[in-house]
Amino acid sequence: MNTKQPGAITSGRFMGQDDTYTLGPMQSGPACCEPQPLIEVESFSLRYGARIVLENISLNVYRGCITALIGPSGCGKTSFLSSINRLTDLIPGCRIAGGIRVDNCDIHGSDCDLRALRGKVGMVFQKPTPFPLSIHRNIELPLREHGVVRRPEVDSIVQRVLQDVGLWEEVHDRLHSPALSLSGGQQQRLCIARALALAPEILLMDEPCSALDPIASGVVEDLIRRLCGRYTIVIVTHNLAQARRIAHYAAFFWTRGDVGRLVEFGHCRQIFEAPAHELTAAYINGARG
Amino acid sequence: MGNAETASARGTPGNAWQDRLAEWSVYVVALLISAVFLWMLSDLALGGIEHLSWSFLLDPPQNAGRGGGIGSILVSTVLVLLIALVVALPLGWAAAVMLSEYVSSDSRFGHTVRHSLQVLAAVPSIVFGLFGNAFFSIYLGLGFSILSGGLTLACMLLPILVSTAEAGLRALPDTYRSSAMALGMSRAATVFHVLLPAAAPALITGLLLGIGRVMAETAALLFTSGYVDRMPESLLDSGRTLAMHIFDLSMNVPGGDAAAHASALVLIVALLLINLLAMKLATSWQRGKIAAE
């Protein structure tokens, strides 16, 4: 699964044919984090029908940082991620307990505006999921839905977000050609651009590199690093080396009796270098999971 | 395992013989099927081509269709077709959207709707004709008219349109729905701007099948749109469609065979053209979504 060499992808430029990109204006790099919680999760539990998926999760996600969720498959990382923007609502029989607060607002509260929440919390999926429409339309459609309808405004946002993900140079002369004609890595960056267009504060990423080849995956990883600071990023990854390279905080999930639990949460260095829990140590060293 | 052993026990010559037989029978079957079509087409062409001319396409029929052309009949056919499509397309596609997007696949309501559509699809067209006559012509007072014919055919089209569109929508990956939802898009916007455009080939296929069904229908129109062969002056006039005209010429009009052949030829060529056009449209649409220009 994990074909990438740690440290192989550090430079900003790759010579791959269509995944070559030039850095956009956002070169600030990880401005490190003020430990100011933006997402507060308190004894959160999730169940689908009778099946308990997550139990008693409590952690904080800090503003401007990258938080990596690691752990074996089926331990509820993705479910946890999609709870943050309430995408779990799609699943029939989904019930929750405990609370998640995003920017001091209870996302399950009755006064929570779902559209605003999803504008504030963007999501990027494991497989690139552009709509089968043109590149331009892919970004324009959600913008319109959020009330940005004036053509010049839409066009300038499209240009800005495509520059942010380093895609503008590659596609600016074919904005109206189909998004599905792009390569996998380009499609994934388009999806990130589409999420950025709504000016979110938080980006949820569900293994955004795992469906891409090593070069495209490196480009996306570099992009994530550049986005950090401006955005708060929560990323699920099976690639421990990647988590170690990019994340500031790490949360280690494990299943016990088919129920996902949070074993350990802390600074990335601490989790990787001095794990407090023996399960974490075993997982990180490749002895378990 | 067992198969491999018996095959090797029998040896290769026997296998080759069986293979050849299978190959030949497949060819023969394929040939037979196209032969039926070619036979029909050539029979129609032989009997009708000398009758075919621009004036045949444009002139009104004379002497019960033995002479003149099929101008007014083509107009009636197009009108009936348009009414049926205008009524059935929005209804059918809306029902498909409801079944695939708003109702969970194992809900009772969805089952009931799907079941009634299946029953509707199996109803013989003459029954639709009698229903259309009782409801549209008599109860609603539309009489024998193009309007009641078109409405009756719209009822007949619904099952085809709904099932093709629903299958097309269900075949779309769920990632379209979840990523639209993650972008804060409403369900309605997702349906209109993402799902329906993505399912366009399936919608076009349904449309095509529907057009074919309408153009070929006679029994349902016998008691609804009637068979007056004059040029219709309004939608409340009776009108004779092409298929009805062929039926009338070949069954009720002695000496109308040549005109019937020519009309049938026109009908078949028109259906072939519509098929071709829709096929082209669907593939170019599909290609336009995936490949760069």
Side-chain angles (χ1 to χ4, degrees):
Chain A
M1 278 291 210
N2 175 1
T3 53
K4 217 159 3 115
Q5 294 299 309
I9 288 130
T10 44
S11 80
R13 201 177 173 87
F14 292 88
M15 300 316 289
Q17 264 191 336
D18 36 25
D19 277 308
T20 313
Y21 76 104
T22 36
L23 287 179
M26 197 170 35
Q27 266 173 323
S28 55
C32 211
C33 335
E34 331 129 35
Q36 177 193 357
L38 183 60
I39 305 172
E40 296 157 277
V41 183
E42 249 184 59
S43 34
F44 178 75
S45 301
L46 176 73
R47 55 166 69 205
Y48 298 149
R51 198 171 83 86
I52 302 172
V53 183
L54 287 169
E55 196 164 67
N56 206 15
I57 310 282
S58 297
L59 61 88
N60 284 345
V61 170
Y62 296 103
R63 192 183 287 273
C65 301
I66 299 181
T67 303
L69 309 181
I70 56 175
S73 299
C75 67
K77 303 181 301 288
T78 299
S79 296
F80 177 69
L81 197 72
S82 38
S83 303
I84 300 177
N85 69 349
R86 280 186 58 185
L87 218 57
T88 40
D89 290 8
L90 263 182
I91 296 156
C94 159
R95 287 219 304 277
I96 59 128
I100 300 180
R101 298 172 69 79
V102 172
D103 211 4
N104 286 322
C105 165
D106 181 7
I107 63 164
H108 297 102
S110 53
D111 54 339
C112 168
D113 175 4
L114 258 188
R115 191 194 305 184
L117 173 72
R118 287 175 183 149
K120 188 185 269 188
V121 185
M123 181 141 184
V124 177
F125 294 85
Q126 177 173 10
K127 280 198 195 127
T129 55
F131 298 134
L133 308 166
S134 77
I135 297 170
H136 187 275
R137 187 103 173 113
N138 258 282
I139 301 175
E140 177 195 7
L141 211 52
L143 275 176
R144 281 183 183 279
E145 192 68 5
H146 286 259
V148 183
V149 287
R150 285 182 44 247
R151 186 111 211 141
E153 201 180 344
V154 169
D155 287 348
S156 81
I157 294 180
V158 168
Q159 177 170 359
R160 181 173 56 75
V161 295
L162 285 178
Q163 280 170 342
D164 275 358
V165 299
L167 205 56
W168 178 253
E169 289 297 315
E170 296 158 43
V171 301
H172 68 95
D173 52 352
R174 49 179 179 130
L175 287 178
H176 295 282
S177 57
L180 293 182
S181 69
L182 297 173
S183 73
Q186 288 174 321
Q187 290 187 14
Q188 190 64 301
R189 280 185 283 148
L190 175 65
C191 291
I192 298 176
R194 189 172 64 180
L196 294 184
L198 301 177
E201 288 181 46
I202 300 162
L203 271 185
L204 307 176
M205 300 184 145
D206 186 5
E207 301 186 53
C209 300
S210 68
L212 307 179
D213 67 83
I215 289 178
S217 144
V219 174
V220 171
E221 186 182 313
D222 252 33
L223 169 63
I224 295 171
R225 225 182 294 198
R226 286 191 300 124
L227 293 175
C228 143
R230 261 172 64 173
Y231 303 94
T232 304
I233 295 173
V234 185
I235 181 171
V236 168
T237 178
H238 275 127
N239 183 339
L240 290 178
Q242 182 182 54
R244 197 170 188 163
R245 280 195 301 272
I246 63 175
H248 304 106
Y249 290 91
F252 174 59
F253 284 70
W254 188 259
T255 47
R256 240 170 282 160
D258 261 358
V259 179
R261 288 164 205 273
L262 176 67
V263 176
E264 194 171 347
F265 172 73
H267 275 100
C268 193
R269 280 188 65 163
Q270 178 253 310
I271 295 275
F272 278 98
E273 285 165 18
H277 202 286
E278 59 189 67
L279 260 177
T280 320
Y283 183 71
I284 300 228
N285 297 328
R288 297 284 299 269
Chain B
M1 277 288 238
N3 276 342
E5 274 165 24
T6 43
S8 64
R10 260 193 222 143
T12 31
N15 266 350
W17 179 82
Q18 281 177 333
D19 262 2
R20 223 173 300 145
L21 185 71
E23 198 181 326
W24 277 103
S25 42
V26 171
Y27 273 119
V28 167
V29 168
L31 214 68
L32 267 175
I33 291 172
S34 20
V36 171
F37 170 70
L38 287 177
W39 185 9
M40 238 165 72
L41 198 66
S42 58
D43 184 50
L44 288 177
L46 283 178
I49 203 131
E50 58 203 284
H51 219 74
L52 219 52
S53 65
W54 284 116
S55 64
F56 178 74
L57 290 179
L58 298 174
D59 289 350
Q62 281 160 8
N63 192 12
R66 291 183 195 90
I70 53 170
S72 58
I73 282 148
L74 285 180
V75 172
S76 302
T77 310
V78 170
L79 287 176
V80 168
L81 179 66
L82 282 181
I83 291 172
L85 291 180
V86 162
V87 173
L89 282 183
L91 280 178
W93 288 350
V97 166
M98 184 212 56
L99 286 176
S100 77
E101 305 303 316
Y102 288 86
V103 178
S104 84
S105 53
D106 46 0
S107 83
R108 243 191 129 129
F109 177 66
H111 267 306
T112 316
V113 175
R114 231 168 269 130
H115 217 85
S116 28
L117 282 169
Q118 275 165 12
V119 172
L120 213 56
V123 169
S125 55
I126 186 71
V127 177
F128 273 103
L130 291 171
F131 160 76
N133 179 264
F135 185 66
F136 297 118
S137 306
I138 296 170
Y139 185 75
L140 294 185
L142 299 175
F144 280 84
S145 67
I146 288 178
L147 193 57
S148 45
L151 291 173
T152 307
L153 288 185
C155 299
M156 267 179 74
L157 284 186
L158 281 176
I160 305 177
L161 290 175
V162 176
S163 57
T164 48
E166 192 197 348
L169 286 167
R170 277 191 192 283
L172 296 176
D174 261 341
T175 54
Y176 292 167
R177 297 177 184 94
S178 50
S179 47
M181 196 169 168
L183 290 163
M185 288 174 65
S186 66
R187 220 172 211 188
T190 311
V191 166
F192 278 105
H193 298 305
V194 179
L195 300 179
L196 284 180
L203 301 186
I204 291 178
T205 310
L207 177 67
L208 177 77
L209 288 170
I211 292 177
R213 182 109 195 238
V214 170
M215 300 258 288
E217 191 48 56
T218 48
L221 292 172
L222 202 58
F223 304 120
T224 52
S225 72
Y227 35 87
V228 173
D229 59 7
R230 275 196 313 272
M231 181 65 86
E233 279 163 14
S234 82
L235 293 183
L236 291 174
D237 268 2
S238 170
R240 183 192 285 196
T241 65
L242 207 45
M244 278 289 287
H245 189 55
I246 297 164
F247 169 73
D248 198 52
L249 281 176
S250 47
M251 303 307 286
N252 303 335
V253 181
D257 278 3
H261 272 88
S263 309
L265 192 60
V266 171
L267 182 61
I268 285 210
V269 169
L271 281 174
L272 279 178
L273 285 181
I274 291 170
N275 249 301
L276 227 64
L277 184 79
M279 220 94 106
K280 238 188 153 77
L281 218 68
T283 48
S284 73
W285 199 310
Q286 196 77 334
R287 199 175 304 128
K289 267 188 297 189
I290 295 167
E293 45 257 29

